[in-house]
Structures are given as C-alpha cells and as structure tokens.
Amino acid sequence: MAEVVVQADRRSEGILINDDWPGYRLDLFNYPAHYSGDLDCVIIPHGVIMDRTERLARNIMDDLGDHDIVVLCVLKGGYQFCADLVERIKALSRNSNHTIPMRVHFIRLRSYLNDQSTEDLHILGAEDLSFLAGKNVLIVEGIVGTGKTMETLLKHVEAFRPKMIKVAGLLVKRVQHSLACVPDYVGFEIPNRFVVGYALDYNEYFRDLNHICVISESVCFLAFNDNHCRCWAPVVTLLNYTDGLRDPATMEV
Ligand code: HPA
Ligand code: MG
C-alpha cells in the first residue's frame, strides 16, 4: 500500500476546525454526569484527540528521534496531552530498531500583574534547566492562544543551549492577530472560543472531562482574559464553579 506522506511544510497546520463547526451533540457521547447542563457541545471527541496524537508522535520521532529527547510538559493544561503523547512516542521507540532515551520535566507558568498593570510571566520549575544543554527539547502545551507565553518560554529555554527546541501544542486558537509563536506540531486549529476538557480547565473544573467541549452559553458572559487572549467564557452555572475563583492579579496560565 502507498505510504502516506505528509509534507514537512503542512505539518504545523493541524486539523482545521472551522468557526461555523457546531460540534457534536453531548448526548451522542458519554461524559461525567456532574457536568450535565454545563456544556454546549463536544468539539473534539476523545478518540479523535488520541488518533491525532498518535500521528504527532510519529512526526516528532521522525524529526527528533536521533538523539535524547527532553520533554518539557507545561502544567496544568498540558498534562493529559503530554502523558498521551509520551506514551505514543514510547510505543514507537519500543517498536523501532533504535531506542531513544527520553526524560520528562514539568514546568508551570504563572502570570502576575506588575505595578504598571502589565503582565510578568513566572516559570516555575525552570530555574535551572542546564541539563537541557545539547539535548533535543520538546515543549508540550495543551493550548496556545496568542503565542506570547510560548514566546517567553522559548527565550528562557534557549538560554540553556539545547541542540534543538520544538513545540507541540494540542490546540491552537485562531486569534485576530497573527500568533507570536506557532507550534511546530499542532493537533487542531480551533475557533477563538473558550474550551474545556482533556486537562483544560475553567477555574480548575472540567479537567476530568475526556472530550474537548464548549461550555454552555445559557446564562451570561464574562470577558475572560487568559494570558492576553481575550475570548468569551460563559459565567453559566458559574455559581457552581466559582469557589476559590482566581485572583485576577495571579493567574495560572
Ligand atoms: N480553555 C482553557 N484554558 C485556556 C483557554 C481555553 O479556551 N485559552 C487559554 N487558556
Ligand atoms: Mg487554565
């Protein structure tokens, strides 16, 4: 059978989800009953995420698999994608003739409003990344909005002189202005809507949902400024989801 060849320059596009994509009805899928009434639709079912991740793992192995890989997982939103991607890279490595040592390191990003009301990004767990020197580094992120956070993170990582840095983002949002940083490996390009599930949260909820979903728009809206990425997130049933609401001056990204 003919080999499927994905041209290198088409790799970073990801699967396109158009702005008019209505998603799938929730009742076509299984999801936690504690979220019933809070979700509008499934925009990416779990199985599709897994299939796309398998393909990304293969592209990553083709590009990086000649040298040790250090995976930098961006918590918390990237944890599920990172875990599944690493599983698939391990499976490919097990079944190939050359095995690739892989380390996984976790970092967390937090943004602070400084005294000029502009944003400072703090990278937790990245104080000493000297072990990255000469390594192939794969940064794994759940969602990329404007790309500014990723741009800052890349500058920080570059200072430790890795051999190569690549970025894998499961979701990339179509924002108005062009992205400051486009990942090398993109799972899906999605509309600029607030999505949850597969470790992406709204105020720490919905990480335990397997599919990527849009929250219900039943009540009212809140301008949600997530890391410069202004989009609309429903307050909805927010009464259910406001305990420990984030201090806007200190946001987990
Ligand atoms: N969902 C969850 N976290 C996010 C999003 C989103 O749509 N955009 C940026 N961070
Ligand atoms: Mg979040």
Side-chain angles (χ1 to χ4, degrees):
M1 227 201 297
E3 163 100 356
V4 178
V5 178
V6 177
Q7 285 164 6
D9 60 352
R10 301 205 55 196
R11 280 191 174 178
S12 62
E13 286 176 6
I15 294 176
L16 188 72
I17 299 185
N18 286 321
D19 286 351
D20 59 1
W21 166 237
Y24 298 100
R25 278 196 344 254
L26 279 151
D27 62 342
L28 297 172
F29 295 91
N30 221 352
Y31 66 98
H34 50 266
Y35 292 136
S36 72
D38 304 336
L39 298 166
D40 185 38
C41 66
V42 173
I43 68 163
I44 314 174
H46 183 250
V48 177
I49 301 170
M50 300 309 280
D51 287 344
R52 179 71 185 134
T53 301
E54 190 174 347
R55 178 63 206 224
L56 293 178
R58 191 177 127 190
N59 294 348
I60 289 165
M61 279 296 281
D62 289 349
D63 297 348
L64 299 188
D66 64 334
H67 207 275
D68 298 19
I69 299 176
V70 181
V71 174
L72 279 188
C73 172
V74 183
L75 295 173
K76 297 179 185 176
Y79 90 81
Q80 191 64 65
F81 175 48
C82 185
D84 289 329
L85 187 65
V86 164
E87 263 323 299
R88 267 139 200 88
I89 293 174
K90 278 161 53 185
L92 288 170
S93 173
R94 268 199 309 274
N95 295 315
S96 80
N97 292 331
H98 61 298
T99 60
I100 293 106
M102 187 167 47
R103 289 168 68 168
V104 186
H105 187 81
F106 298 90
I107 56 175
R108 206 157 158 183
L109 306 180
R110 194 165 282 164
S111 65
Y112 292 88
L113 288 183
N114 60 27
D115 44 12
Q116 271 92 49
S117 289
T118 56
E119 208 176 32
D120 282 342
L121 189 71
H122 287 214
I123 308 170
L124 311 175
E127 295 76 18
D128 181 17
L129 297 179
S130 50
F131 62 93
L132 298 183
K135 300 284 194 300
N136 282 336
V137 176
L138 179 68
I139 300 176
V140 181
E141 174 63 289
I143 189 160
V144 175
T146 60
K148 287 196 178 130
T149 306
M150 190 50 71
E151 198 183 26
T152 310
L153 179 58
L154 274 171
K155 279 196 193 120
H156 183 82
V157 172
E158 269 161 14
F160 295 94
R161 309 218 156 268
K163 181 177 173 221
M164 187 192 284
I165 310 175
K166 296 278 187 187
V167 178
L170 177 66
L171 307 179
V172 169
K173 279 194 185 176
R174 260 190 314 280
V175 290
Q176 265 176 340
H177 306 291
S178 60
L179 291 185
C181 163
V182 182
D184 303 282
Y185 307 99
V186 176
F188 303 86
E189 185 191 301
I190 62 166
N192 190 11
R193 298 181 70 183
F194 198 82
V195 295
V196 292
Y198 196 67
L200 298 174
D201 72 314
Y202 177 77
N203 199 33
E204 297 299 328
Y205 291 93
F206 301 103
R207 293 197 202 275
D208 56 339
L209 175 67
N210 281 347
H211 315 293
I212 291 176
C213 297
V214 175
I215 313 181
S216 148
E217 297 182 354
S218 54
V219 180
C220 55
F221 290 87
L222 164 79
F224 186 86
N225 188 347
D226 195 271
N227 191 30
H228 307 292
C229 176
R230 192 162 277 280
C231 56
W232 294 95
V235 179
V236 194
T237 35
L238 263 199
L239 292 180
N240 294 333
Y241 299 124
T242 45
D243 58 304
L245 195 62
R246 292 184 291 199
D247 172 1
T250 312
M251 302 240 298
E252 195 78 42
V253 190

